[in-house]
Amino acid sequence: MLVVNRFVVAEEAADGFTERAHAALEALAARPGYRSGQLVRGLDDPTAWCLVTDWESVGTYRRALGGFDVKVHATPLLAESLDEPSAFEPLASAEPGGSVETRASDRSVGPGR
């Protein structure tokens, strides 16, 4: 499961934001089910940032949000993200030079099923 939290950060606030984002990423990375994560900034717009994390399942992500360090370091930062859907399930993937592999949705109805 992929989680994409988008932020708009004024350039003069970038240093403080990245420090808090690093602490949030470290707290999330310590939780069971965490696979990987990145803090990224827009190339064309330096005020556009994303915290992107990959999880084994929606359950491991939701349980991770209950961890003490996550509540202290990540939750306040995530509350500043844009109010939009942030959790996504993978429906298709391709390795370099490989073919597209699809998987069924975990949702009971909808696209990809």
Side-chain angles (χ1 to χ4, degrees), residues 43-105:
L43 292 173
D44 298 325
D45 180 357
T47 68
W49 292 76
C50 293
L51 182 63
V52 182
T53 54
D54 186 26
W55 297 86
E56 287 178 6
S57 67
V58 66
T60 59
Y61 172 64
R62 289 184 176 156
R63 284 188 293 279
L65 294 176
F68 179 77
D69 283 348
V70 171
K71 287 181 181 180
V72 170
H73 298 291
T75 302
L77 182 82
L78 298 178
E80 297 174 21
S81 66
L82 297 178
D83 186 15
E84 61 187 16
S86 61
F88 300 90
E89 64 175 337
L91 298 176
S93 61
E95 296 297 325
S99 59
V100 173
E101 295 181 21
T102 62
R103 61 183 93 172
S105 172

Side-chain angles (χ1 to χ4, degrees), residues 21-45:
H22 291 170
L25 192 55
E26 187 173 330
L28 292 166
R31 303 302 300 165
Y34 174 91
R35 290 184 174 162
S36 67
Q38 295 182 332
L39 175 64
V40 299
R41 180 171 55 188
L43 292 173
D44 298 325
D45 180 357

